[in-house]
mmCIF file of all heavy atoms in Angstrom:
data_model
loop_
_atom_site.group_PDB
_atom_site.id
_atom_site.type_symbol
_atom_site.label_atom_id
_atom_site.label_comp_id
_atom_site.label_asym_id
_atom_site.label_seq_id
_atom_site.Cartn_x
_atom_site.Cartn_y
_atom_site.Cartn_z
ATOM 1 N N GLY L 13 0.285 21.131 22.049
ATOM 2 C CA GLY L 13 0.157 20.633 23.340
ATOM 3 C C GLY L 13 1.384 20.588 24.243
ATOM 4 O O GLY L 13 1.341 20.052 25.304
ATOM 5 N N ASN L 14 2.421 21.163 23.773
ATOM 6 C CA ASN L 14 3.610 21.207 24.585
ATOM 7 C C ASN L 14 3.385 21.881 25.910
ATOM 8 O O ASN L 14 3.819 21.438 26.950
ATOM 9 C CB ASN L 14 4.721 22.082 23.918
ATOM 10 C CG ASN L 14 5.257 21.321 22.599
ATOM 11 O OD1 ASN L 14 4.949 20.163 22.347
ATOM 12 N ND2 ASN L 14 6.010 22.067 21.854
ATOM 13 N N ARG L 25 6.232 26.054 30.714
ATOM 14 C CA ARG L 25 5.851 25.814 29.318
ATOM 15 C C ARG L 25 7.082 25.615 28.478
ATOM 16 O O ARG L 25 7.040 24.820 27.478
ATOM 17 C CB ARG L 25 5.065 27.003 28.732
ATOM 18 C CG ARG L 25 3.699 27.154 29.422
ATOM 19 C CD ARG L 25 2.906 28.348 28.824
ATOM 20 N NE ARG L 25 2.802 28.179 27.323
ATOM 21 C CZ ARG L 25 1.825 27.527 26.719
ATOM 22 N NH1 ARG L 25 0.934 26.915 27.372
ATOM 23 N NH2 ARG L 25 1.894 27.473 25.449
ATOM 24 N N HIS L 29 8.167 22.790 25.533
ATOM 25 C CA HIS L 29 8.740 22.993 24.191
ATOM 26 C C HIS L 29 10.036 22.129 23.988
ATOM 27 O O HIS L 29 10.278 21.581 22.896
ATOM 28 C CB HIS L 29 9.001 24.393 23.890
ATOM 29 C CG HIS L 29 7.694 25.230 23.864
ATOM 30 N ND1 HIS L 29 6.625 24.845 23.058
ATOM 31 C CD2 HIS L 29 7.287 26.420 24.513
ATOM 32 C CE1 HIS L 29 5.635 25.756 23.214
ATOM 33 N NE2 HIS L 29 6.053 26.637 24.114
ATOM 34 N N SER L 57 3.653 29.835 14.444
ATOM 35 C CA SER L 57 2.728 30.441 13.519
ATOM 36 C C SER L 57 2.839 31.892 13.530
ATOM 37 O O SER L 57 3.466 32.515 14.496
ATOM 38 C CB SER L 57 1.282 30.021 13.952
ATOM 39 O OG SER L 57 0.822 30.727 15.112
ATOM 40 N N THR L 66 9.327 35.791 26.634
ATOM 41 C CA THR L 66 10.171 34.748 27.140
ATOM 42 C C THR L 66 9.963 33.408 26.452
ATOM 43 O O THR L 66 10.820 32.702 26.198
ATOM 44 C CB THR L 66 9.977 34.586 28.653
ATOM 45 O OG1 THR L 66 8.592 34.647 28.982
ATOM 46 C CG2 THR L 66 10.615 35.751 29.457
ATOM 47 N N HIS L 69 11.244 33.433 22.985
ATOM 48 C CA HIS L 69 12.660 33.370 23.031
ATOM 49 C C HIS L 69 13.029 31.863 23.211
ATOM 50 O O HIS L 69 13.989 31.372 22.550
ATOM 51 C CB HIS L 69 13.239 34.267 24.112
ATOM 52 C CG HIS L 69 14.694 34.159 24.219
ATOM 53 N ND1 HIS L 69 15.575 34.868 23.443
ATOM 54 C CD2 HIS L 69 15.489 33.423 25.031
ATOM 55 C CE1 HIS L 69 16.767 34.628 23.774
ATOM 56 N NE2 HIS L 69 16.816 33.747 24.709
ATOM 57 N N ALA L 70 12.375 31.255 24.116
ATOM 58 C CA ALA L 70 12.682 29.829 24.421
ATOM 59 C C ALA L 70 12.485 28.939 23.168
ATOM 60 O O ALA L 70 13.260 28.076 22.936
ATOM 61 C CB ALA L 70 11.761 29.317 25.576
ATOM 62 N N MET L 86 21.157 14.829 10.115
ATOM 63 C CA MET L 86 20.257 14.994 9.016
ATOM 64 C C MET L 86 20.931 14.857 7.680
ATOM 65 O O MET L 86 20.407 14.186 6.732
ATOM 66 C CB MET L 86 19.586 16.389 9.111
ATOM 67 C CG MET L 86 18.542 16.506 10.223
ATOM 68 S SD MET L 86 17.401 17.880 10.078
ATOM 69 C CE MET L 86 18.483 19.275 10.617
ATOM 70 N N VAL L 91 18.177 13.637 5.109
ATOM 71 C CA VAL L 91 17.061 14.573 5.347
ATOM 72 C C VAL L 91 17.320 15.910 4.678
ATOM 73 O O VAL L 91 18.429 16.448 4.871
ATOM 74 C CB VAL L 91 16.841 14.807 6.785
ATOM 75 C CG1 VAL L 91 15.675 15.792 7.104
ATOM 76 C CG2 VAL L 91 16.500 13.473 7.537
ATOM 77 N N ARG L 92 16.408 16.386 3.896
ATOM 78 C CA ARG L 92 16.556 17.691 3.353
ATOM 79 C C ARG L 92 15.642 18.685 4.071
ATOM 80 O O ARG L 92 14.417 18.438 4.190
ATOM 81 C CB ARG L 92 16.092 17.690 1.812
ATOM 82 C CG ARG L 92 16.163 19.046 1.081
ATOM 83 C CD ARG L 92 15.882 18.844 -0.370
ATOM 84 N NE ARG L 92 14.481 18.601 -0.657
ATOM 85 C CZ ARG L 92 13.618 19.568 -1.209
ATOM 86 N NH1 ARG L 92 14.150 20.690 -1.647
ATOM 87 N NH2 ARG L 92 12.449 19.308 -1.415
ATOM 88 N N LEU L 99 11.227 34.396 7.155
ATOM 89 C CA LEU L 99 12.320 34.348 8.139
ATOM 90 C C LEU L 99 12.882 35.724 8.535
ATOM 91 O O LEU L 99 13.648 35.808 9.442
ATOM 92 C CB LEU L 99 13.489 33.450 7.568
ATOM 93 C CG LEU L 99 13.143 32.003 7.337
ATOM 94 C CD1 LEU L 99 14.404 31.213 6.996
ATOM 95 C CD2 LEU L 99 12.424 31.320 8.495
ATOM 96 N N SER L 100 12.430 36.713 7.816
ATOM 97 C CA SER L 100 13.085 38.080 8.041
ATOM 98 C C SER L 100 12.710 38.543 9.502
ATOM 99 O O SER L 100 13.364 39.350 9.995
ATOM 100 C CB SER L 100 12.670 39.036 7.036
ATOM 101 O OG SER L 100 11.202 39.360 7.155
ATOM 102 N N GLY L 120 19.709 16.013 0.376
ATOM 103 C CA GLY L 120 19.075 14.846 1.019
ATOM 104 C C GLY L 120 17.867 14.385 0.116
ATOM 105 O O GLY L 120 17.103 15.196 -0.374
ATOM 106 N N LEU L 123 14.010 12.145 2.925
ATOM 107 C CA LEU L 123 12.901 12.814 3.598
ATOM 108 C C LEU L 123 13.128 14.349 3.478
ATOM 109 O O LEU L 123 14.093 14.911 3.880
ATOM 110 C CB LEU L 123 12.879 12.411 5.074
ATOM 111 C CG LEU L 123 11.920 13.127 5.952
ATOM 112 C CD1 LEU L 123 10.450 12.894 5.550
ATOM 113 C CD2 LEU L 123 12.110 12.786 7.449
ATOM 114 N N TYR L 131 5.002 30.878 10.108
ATOM 115 C CA TYR L 131 4.199 30.534 8.936
ATOM 116 C C TYR L 131 2.730 30.823 9.272
ATOM 117 O O TYR L 131 2.214 30.549 10.346
ATOM 118 C CB TYR L 131 4.332 28.963 8.666
ATOM 119 C CG TYR L 131 3.374 28.548 7.529
ATOM 120 C CD1 TYR L 131 3.778 28.718 6.218
ATOM 121 C CD2 TYR L 131 2.102 28.143 7.885
ATOM 122 C CE1 TYR L 131 2.899 28.404 5.183
ATOM 123 C CE2 TYR L 131 1.222 27.777 6.861
ATOM 124 C CZ TYR L 131 1.574 27.880 5.535
ATOM 125 O OH TYR L 131 0.719 27.611 4.535
ATOM 126 N N SER L 133 -0.997 30.482 6.785
ATOM 127 C CA SER L 133 -1.551 30.145 5.449
ATOM 128 C C SER L 133 -2.094 31.397 4.743
ATOM 129 O O SER L 133 -1.908 31.662 3.575
ATOM 130 C CB SER L 133 -2.621 29.078 5.558
ATOM 131 O OG SER L 133 -2.855 28.619 4.286
ATOM 132 N N ARG L 139 0.682 36.729 -0.028
ATOM 133 C CA ARG L 139 1.962 37.008 -0.626
ATOM 134 C C ARG L 139 1.935 36.421 -2.035
ATOM 135 O O ARG L 139 2.462 37.047 -2.952
ATOM 136 C CB ARG L 139 3.052 36.368 0.223
ATOM 137 C CG ARG L 139 4.427 36.405 -0.309
ATOM 138 C CD ARG L 139 5.445 35.817 0.694
ATOM 139 N NE ARG L 139 6.724 35.679 0.173
ATOM 140 C CZ ARG L 139 7.130 34.564 -0.522
ATOM 141 N NH1 ARG L 139 6.266 33.546 -0.696
ATOM 142 N NH2 ARG L 139 8.328 34.466 -1.026
ATOM 143 N N LEU L 146 2.469 41.042 -9.546
ATOM 144 C CA LEU L 146 3.653 41.569 -10.121
ATOM 145 C C LEU L 146 4.115 40.858 -11.354
ATOM 146 O O LEU L 146 4.431 41.536 -12.318
ATOM 147 C CB LEU L 146 4.810 41.577 -9.031
ATOM 148 C CG LEU L 146 4.787 42.525 -7.944
ATOM 149 C CD1 LEU L 146 5.937 42.209 -6.946
ATOM 150 C CD2 LEU L 146 4.943 43.940 -8.485
ATOM 151 N N VAL L 178 -2.082 15.739 10.639
ATOM 152 C CA VAL L 178 -2.233 15.229 12.061
ATOM 153 C C VAL L 178 -2.180 16.471 12.909
ATOM 154 O O VAL L 178 -1.293 17.336 12.827
ATOM 155 C CB VAL L 178 -1.050 14.358 12.400
ATOM 156 C CG1 VAL L 178 -1.081 13.917 13.889
ATOM 157 C CG2 VAL L 178 -1.066 13.059 11.546
ATOM 158 N N ARG L 185 -9.024 22.173 14.998
ATOM 159 C CA ARG L 185 -9.049 23.255 14.088
ATOM 160 C C ARG L 185 -7.599 23.254 13.352
ATOM 161 O O ARG L 185 -6.732 22.561 13.745
ATOM 162 C CB ARG L 185 -9.160 24.631 14.806
ATOM 163 C CG ARG L 185 -8.243 24.808 15.985
ATOM 164 C CD ARG L 185 -8.442 26.203 16.690
ATOM 165 N NE ARG L 185 -7.687 26.260 17.901
ATOM 166 C CZ ARG L 185 -8.247 26.075 19.131
ATOM 167 N NH1 ARG L 185 -9.463 25.876 19.311
ATOM 168 N NH2 ARG L 185 -7.405 26.156 20.239
ATOM 169 N N LEU L 186 -7.595 24.069 12.329
ATOM 170 C CA LEU L 186 -6.346 24.208 11.511
ATOM 171 C C LEU L 186 -5.403 25.302 11.918
ATOM 172 O O LEU L 186 -4.220 25.309 11.584
ATOM 173 C CB LEU L 186 -6.684 24.336 10.070
ATOM 174 C CG LEU L 186 -7.403 23.034 9.498
ATOM 175 C CD1 LEU L 186 -7.691 23.272 8.006
ATOM 176 C CD2 LEU L 186 -6.633 21.743 9.594
ATOM 177 N N PHE L 201 -7.055 13.659 14.150
ATOM 178 C CA PHE L 201 -6.918 14.339 15.407
ATOM 179 C C PHE L 201 -6.714 13.300 16.522
ATOM 180 O O PHE L 201 -7.316 12.298 16.515
ATOM 181 C CB PHE L 201 -8.149 15.212 15.705
ATOM 182 C CG PHE L 201 -8.357 16.331 14.709
ATOM 183 C CD1 PHE L 201 -9.336 16.160 13.739
ATOM 184 C CD2 PHE L 201 -7.653 17.485 14.701
ATOM 185 C CE1 PHE L 201 -9.560 17.149 12.761
ATOM 186 C CE2 PHE L 201 -7.876 18.514 13.761
ATOM 187 C CZ PHE L 201 -8.831 18.316 12.801
ATOM 188 N N GLY L 229 -13.942 14.023 -4.727
ATOM 189 C CA GLY L 229 -15.090 14.511 -5.491
ATOM 190 C C GLY L 229 -15.728 13.552 -6.434
ATOM 191 O O GLY L 229 -16.865 13.792 -6.866
#
Side-chain angles (χ1 to χ4, degrees):
N14 292 348
R25 292 183 54 86
H29 294 309
S57 75
T66 46
H69 180 81
M86 286 197 284
V91 176
R92 180 173 74 110
L99 296 189
S100 70
L123 172 66
Y131 176 85
S133 191
R139 177 175 167 274
L146 281 174
V178 174
R185 54 177 170 259
L186 296 180
F201 298 102

